[in-house]
Amino acid sequence: MTGIAMRLIIDRERCVGAGLCVLSAPELFDQSDADGRVVVRASTDADDPAVHEAGRLCPSGALRIAGP
Ligand code: SF4
């Protein structure tokens, strides 16, 4: 079966640095030392359930999963 990958869309302007994404998936997200806003690690895959959970937890809507 062939799947079409989901895309993770980050809006750093909306990020309020709450850190819930980092708390829920520290292997996928980090926070910038400069401004506290989200930094996505290179290996982050939008199909990962942990990414969906982080998007659900994010209070500002800065993390969005886009369908194919
Ligand atoms: S949970 Fe949302 S607001 Fe908080 S650091 Fe992550 S992206 Fe930013």
Side-chain angles (χ1 to χ4, degrees), residues 15-21 31 38 58-60 62-63:
C15 176
V16 295
L20 294 176
C21 56
Q31 284 176 275
V38 65
C58 177
S60 67
L63 302 179

Side-chain angles (χ1 to χ4, degrees), residues 42-62:
S43 58
T44 299
D45 176 357
D47 290 324
D48 187 329
V51 172
H52 288 255
E53 176 69 359
R56 192 181 66 75
L57 293 172
C58 177
S60 67

